[in-house]
Amino acid sequence: MKKDLIRDYATEAFRLYARMGCPAEREIGGEGATAADLKAVCEVLRILALQGKEEVIAAVRAVYFVAPRQEIERGSISARVEALAAGYPVSTRMVYRWLRVARDLFGRVRGLRSK
């Protein structure tokens, strides 16, 4: 399995965005890492929408935006992925790929080193 250096950071950025109520980019004030993370998530969602990747956006919302104030418990991400896969219907592997697309794009927009 390839190493994903930004997985946890990107996941928490998406969850932070959900915790903050999914603000529009113009509503995000201030400077610093938190504001930059929120703006990057906004940009990622905008780019994905422009590219017509609604399934990736749906995966992010179904997996990362659910219960953003609660700690991620063991197996909760897997359970959400399986539920989305069953409802879409696609394989769980495809859902994980969609999430990786969103995380990788976040890393590029945020300027994070991914390798």
Side-chain angles (χ1 to χ4, degrees):
M1 178 186 276
K2 283 176 66 174
K3 194 117 171 129
D4 188 351
L5 299 176
I6 62 165
R7 184 191 68 201
D8 294 341
Y9 187 89
T11 299
E12 282 308 310
F14 285 114
R15 291 173 46 78
L16 172 65
Y17 179 78
R19 263 193 311 278
M20 301 297 286
C22 301
E25 190 167 357
R26 67 183 179 285
E27 298 171 341
I28 301 168
E31 299 296 319
T34 299
D37 287 346
L38 294 173
K39 289 176 183 178
V41 171
C42 286
E43 182 67 8
V44 165
L45 296 175
R46 187 186 71 76
I47 290 169
L48 291 171
L50 287 173
Q51 293 176 343
K53 294 186 176 178
E54 297 300 325
E55 67 281 355
V56 177
I57 296 170
V60 168
R61 288 187 173 138
V63 177
Y64 296 149
F65 286 12
V66 175
R69 287 180 170 74
Q70 296 176 359
E71 288 292 319
I72 297 175
E73 294 181 17
R74 184 177 187 95
S76 64
I77 296 286
S78 299
R80 292 177 199 159
V81 166
E82 289 171 11
L84 180 64
Y88 228 82
V90 295
S91 67
T92 56
R93 187 174 185 166
M94 182 59 73
V95 176
Y96 281 116
R97 282 187 193 137
W98 291 341
L99 293 172
R100 176 126 193 192
V101 165
R103 291 191 313 265
D104 288 349
L105 182 56
F106 172 82
R108 286 194 304 277
V109 168
R110 188 66 174 85
L112 301 175
R113 184 175 66 93
S114 61
K115 297 190 190 280

